[in-house]
mmCIF file of all heavy atoms in Angstrom:
data_model
loop_
_atom_site.group_PDB
_atom_site.id
_atom_site.type_symbol
_atom_site.label_atom_id
_atom_site.label_comp_id
_atom_site.label_asym_id
_atom_site.label_seq_id
_atom_site.Cartn_x
_atom_site.Cartn_y
_atom_site.Cartn_z
ATOM 1 N N SER E 128 25.831 -26.125 3.090
ATOM 2 C CA SER E 128 26.743 -26.734 4.047
ATOM 3 C C SER E 128 26.019 -27.901 4.714
ATOM 4 O O SER E 128 25.332 -27.729 5.714
ATOM 5 C CB SER E 128 27.170 -25.694 5.077
ATOM 6 O OG SER E 128 27.904 -26.300 6.096
ATOM 7 N N PRO E 129 26.153 -29.096 4.183
ATOM 8 C CA PRO E 129 25.391 -30.241 4.688
ATOM 9 C C PRO E 129 25.670 -30.539 6.155
ATOM 10 O O PRO E 129 24.755 -30.878 6.906
ATOM 11 C CB PRO E 129 25.852 -31.399 3.809
ATOM 12 C CG PRO E 129 26.489 -30.782 2.628
ATOM 13 C CD PRO E 129 27.022 -29.470 3.058
ATOM 14 N N ILE E 130 26.914 -30.401 6.547
ATOM 15 C CA ILE E 130 27.267 -30.737 7.934
ATOM 16 C C ILE E 130 26.567 -29.768 8.894
ATOM 17 O O ILE E 130 25.958 -30.174 9.885
ATOM 18 C CB ILE E 130 28.799 -30.660 8.138
ATOM 19 C CG1 ILE E 130 29.513 -31.567 7.133
ATOM 20 C CG2 ILE E 130 29.169 -31.032 9.566
ATOM 21 C CD1 ILE E 130 29.201 -33.039 7.264
ATOM 22 N N LYS E 131 26.666 -28.491 8.541
ATOM 23 C CA LYS E 131 26.045 -27.464 9.379
ATOM 24 C C LYS E 131 24.524 -27.680 9.456
ATOM 25 O O LYS E 131 23.920 -27.616 10.529
ATOM 26 C CB LYS E 131 26.344 -26.090 8.769
ATOM 27 C CG LYS E 131 25.904 -24.916 9.612
ATOM 28 C CD LYS E 131 26.305 -23.637 8.892
ATOM 29 C CE LYS E 131 25.428 -22.469 9.327
ATOM 30 N NZ LYS E 131 25.614 -21.299 8.487
ATOM 31 N N ALA E 132 23.926 -27.964 8.284
ATOM 32 C CA ALA E 132 22.477 -28.187 8.242
ATOM 33 C C ALA E 132 22.106 -29.408 9.068
ATOM 34 O O ALA E 132 21.069 -29.414 9.753
ATOM 35 C CB ALA E 132 22.032 -28.362 6.793
ATOM 36 N N THR E 133 22.948 -30.421 9.023
ATOM 37 C CA THR E 133 22.678 -31.641 9.794
ATOM 38 C C THR E 133 22.707 -31.351 11.295
ATOM 39 O O THR E 133 21.829 -31.796 12.048
ATOM 40 C CB THR E 133 23.726 -32.716 9.453
ATOM 41 O OG1 THR E 133 23.641 -32.989 8.060
ATOM 42 C CG2 THR E 133 23.481 -33.994 10.237
ATOM 43 N N ILE E 134 23.709 -30.589 11.707
ATOM 44 C CA ILE E 134 23.841 -30.281 13.138
ATOM 45 C C ILE E 134 22.657 -29.435 13.614
ATOM 46 O O ILE E 134 22.040 -29.721 14.645
ATOM 47 C CB ILE E 134 25.181 -29.550 13.398
ATOM 48 C CG1 ILE E 134 26.336 -30.510 13.141
ATOM 49 C CG2 ILE E 134 25.236 -29.019 14.831
ATOM 50 C CD1 ILE E 134 27.691 -29.850 13.060
ATOM 51 N N ILE E 135 22.341 -28.386 12.826
ATOM 52 C CA ILE E 135 21.206 -27.531 13.215
ATOM 53 C C ILE E 135 19.911 -28.344 13.243
ATOM 54 O O ILE E 135 19.105 -28.237 14.169
ATOM 55 C CB ILE E 135 21.074 -26.331 12.242
ATOM 56 C CG1 ILE E 135 22.302 -25.424 12.374
ATOM 57 C CG2 ILE E 135 19.815 -25.535 12.543
ATOM 58 C CD1 ILE E 135 22.381 -24.346 11.322
ATOM 59 N N GLY E 136 19.741 -29.192 12.211
ATOM 60 C CA GLY E 136 18.544 -30.028 12.142
ATOM 61 C C GLY E 136 18.450 -30.979 13.328
ATOM 62 O O GLY E 136 17.362 -31.193 13.886
ATOM 63 N N ALA E 137 19.574 -31.542 13.730
ATOM 64 C CA ALA E 137 19.587 -32.476 14.866
ATOM 65 C C ALA E 137 19.175 -31.760 16.146
ATOM 66 O O ALA E 137 18.353 -32.271 16.925
ATOM 67 C CB ALA E 137 20.981 -33.075 15.004
ATOM 68 N N ILE E 138 19.738 -30.565 16.349
ATOM 69 C CA ILE E 138 19.397 -29.810 17.565
ATOM 70 C C ILE E 138 17.915 -29.428 17.541
ATOM 71 O O ILE E 138 17.191 -29.566 18.533
ATOM 72 C CB ILE E 138 20.283 -28.558 17.679
ATOM 73 C CG1 ILE E 138 21.742 -28.973 17.868
ATOM 74 C CG2 ILE E 138 19.823 -27.671 18.832
ATOM 75 C CD1 ILE E 138 22.734 -27.848 17.720
ATOM 76 N N TYR E 139 17.471 -28.971 16.380
ATOM 77 C CA TYR E 139 16.083 -28.529 16.221
ATOM 78 C C TYR E 139 15.115 -29.681 16.524
ATOM 79 O O TYR E 139 14.172 -29.547 17.315
ATOM 80 C CB TYR E 139 15.896 -28.014 14.795
ATOM 81 C CG TYR E 139 14.713 -27.110 14.570
ATOM 82 C CD1 TYR E 139 14.570 -26.437 13.351
ATOM 83 C CD2 TYR E 139 13.728 -26.910 15.534
ATOM 84 C CE1 TYR E 139 13.507 -25.593 13.114
ATOM 85 C CE2 TYR E 139 12.661 -26.067 15.301
ATOM 86 C CZ TYR E 139 12.544 -25.418 14.096
ATOM 87 O OH TYR E 139 11.483 -24.587 13.867
ATOM 88 N N ASN E 140 15.382 -30.827 15.902
ATOM 89 C CA ASN E 140 14.495 -31.982 16.115
ATOM 90 C C ASN E 140 14.565 -32.463 17.561
ATOM 91 O O ASN E 140 13.554 -32.899 18.122
ATOM 92 C CB ASN E 140 14.877 -33.115 15.160
ATOM 93 C CG ASN E 140 14.470 -32.794 13.730
ATOM 94 O OD1 ASN E 140 13.696 -31.879 13.501
ATOM 95 N ND2 ASN E 140 15.000 -33.535 12.782
ATOM 96 N N GLY E 141 15.737 -32.381 18.150
ATOM 97 C CA GLY E 141 15.881 -32.777 19.555
ATOM 98 C C GLY E 141 15.049 -31.896 20.468
ATOM 99 O O GLY E 141 14.394 -32.376 21.404
ATOM 100 N N VAL E 142 15.034 -30.596 20.170
ATOM 101 C CA VAL E 142 14.226 -29.659 20.977
ATOM 102 C C VAL E 142 12.733 -29.958 20.803
ATOM 103 O O VAL E 142 11.963 -29.955 21.770
ATOM 104 C CB VAL E 142 14.555 -28.199 20.579
ATOM 105 C CG1 VAL E 142 13.589 -27.233 21.242
ATOM 106 C CG2 VAL E 142 15.983 -27.861 20.970
ATOM 107 N N ILE E 143 12.345 -30.252 19.574
ATOM 108 C CA ILE E 143 10.927 -30.605 19.335
ATOM 109 C C ILE E 143 10.582 -31.892 20.089
ATOM 110 O O ILE E 143 9.499 -32.008 20.683
ATOM 111 C CB ILE E 143 10.665 -30.761 17.816
ATOM 112 C CG1 ILE E 143 10.846 -29.418 17.112
ATOM 113 C CG2 ILE E 143 9.257 -31.307 17.561
ATOM 114 C CD1 ILE E 143 10.845 -29.506 15.600
ATOM 115 N N ALA E 144 11.512 -32.823 20.082
ATOM 116 C CA ALA E 144 11.279 -34.083 20.803
ATOM 117 C C ALA E 144 11.094 -33.830 22.299
ATOM 118 O O ALA E 144 10.250 -34.479 22.944
ATOM 119 C CB ALA E 144 12.453 -35.027 20.564
ATOM 120 N N LEU E 145 11.856 -32.879 22.829
ATOM 121 C CA LEU E 145 11.695 -32.519 24.249
ATOM 122 C C LEU E 145 10.267 -32.067 24.526
ATOM 123 O O LEU E 145 9.688 -32.387 25.566
ATOM 124 C CB LEU E 145 12.650 -31.380 24.614
ATOM 125 C CG LEU E 145 14.085 -31.734 24.983
ATOM 126 C CD1 LEU E 145 14.881 -30.459 25.229
ATOM 127 C CD2 LEU E 145 14.127 -32.618 26.224
ATOM 128 N N ALA E 146 9.739 -31.293 23.574
ATOM 129 C CA ALA E 146 8.399 -30.723 23.763
ATOM 130 C C ALA E 146 7.303 -31.772 23.635
ATOM 131 O O ALA E 146 6.280 -31.680 24.312
ATOM 132 C CB ALA E 146 8.172 -29.591 22.758
ATOM 133 N N VAL E 147 7.492 -32.750 22.762
ATOM 134 C CA VAL E 147 6.386 -33.688 22.503
ATOM 135 C C VAL E 147 6.555 -35.024 23.233
ATOM 136 O O VAL E 147 5.654 -35.858 23.200
ATOM 137 C CB VAL E 147 6.222 -33.960 20.971
ATOM 138 C CG1 VAL E 147 5.885 -32.686 20.254
ATOM 139 C CG2 VAL E 147 7.431 -34.630 20.388
ATOM 140 N N TYR E 148 7.677 -35.213 23.881
ATOM 141 C CA TYR E 148 7.947 -36.510 24.505
ATOM 142 C C TYR E 148 6.860 -36.894 25.525
ATOM 143 O O TYR E 148 6.256 -37.970 25.427
ATOM 144 C CB TYR E 148 9.325 -36.493 25.171
ATOM 145 C CG TYR E 148 9.735 -37.824 25.730
ATOM 146 C CD1 TYR E 148 10.430 -38.752 24.950
ATOM 147 C CD2 TYR E 148 9.407 -38.184 27.033
ATOM 148 C CE1 TYR E 148 10.779 -39.987 25.465
ATOM 149 C CE2 TYR E 148 9.752 -39.414 27.553
ATOM 150 C CZ TYR E 148 10.443 -40.309 26.767
ATOM 151 O OH TYR E 148 10.791 -41.532 27.271
ATOM 152 N N ILE E 149 6.640 -36.024 26.493
ATOM 153 C CA ILE E 149 5.697 -36.337 27.580
ATOM 154 C C ILE E 149 4.275 -36.544 27.047
ATOM 155 O O ILE E 149 3.628 -37.558 27.364
ATOM 156 C CB ILE E 149 5.715 -35.224 28.656
ATOM 157 C CG1 ILE E 149 7.117 -35.082 29.261
ATOM 158 C CG2 ILE E 149 4.677 -35.486 29.746
ATOM 159 C CD1 ILE E 149 7.561 -36.215 30.159
ATOM 160 N N PRO E 150 3.763 -35.590 26.210
ATOM 161 C CA PRO E 150 2.406 -35.823 25.685
ATOM 162 C C PRO E 150 2.302 -37.130 24.896
ATOM 163 O O PRO E 150 1.304 -37.853 25.021
ATOM 164 C CB PRO E 150 2.168 -34.620 24.763
ATOM 165 C CG PRO E 150 3.118 -33.586 25.210
ATOM 166 C CD PRO E 150 4.284 -34.293 25.785
ATOM 167 N N LEU E 151 3.339 -37.443 24.136
ATOM 168 C CA LEU E 151 3.284 -38.656 23.316
ATOM 169 C C LEU E 151 3.347 -39.908 24.206
ATOM 170 O O LEU E 151 2.651 -40.895 23.944
ATOM 171 C CB LEU E 151 4.461 -38.649 22.324
ATOM 172 C CG LEU E 151 4.423 -39.737 21.259
ATOM 173 C CD1 LEU E 151 3.185 -39.609 20.386
ATOM 174 C CD2 LEU E 151 5.668 -39.665 20.377
ATOM 175 N N GLU E 152 4.128 -39.815 25.262
ATOM 176 C CA GLU E 152 4.237 -40.943 26.189
ATOM 177 C C GLU E 152 2.878 -41.217 26.848
ATOM 178 O O GLU E 152 2.474 -42.365 27.005
ATOM 179 C CB GLU E 152 5.289 -40.621 27.248
ATOM 180 C CG GLU E 152 5.903 -41.848 27.880
ATOM 181 C CD GLU E 152 6.981 -41.493 28.866
ATOM 182 O OE1 GLU E 152 6.812 -40.482 29.594
ATOM 183 O OE2 GLU E 152 7.980 -42.200 28.924
#
Side-chain angles (χ1 to χ4, degrees):
Chain E
S128 172
I130 304 297
K131 187 178 156 191
T133 300
I134 293 167
I135 295 171
I138 295 169
Y139 200 171
N140 288 346
V142 171
I143 295 170
L145 276 177
V147 298
Y148 185 89
I149 300 289
L151 189 61
E152 204 177 38

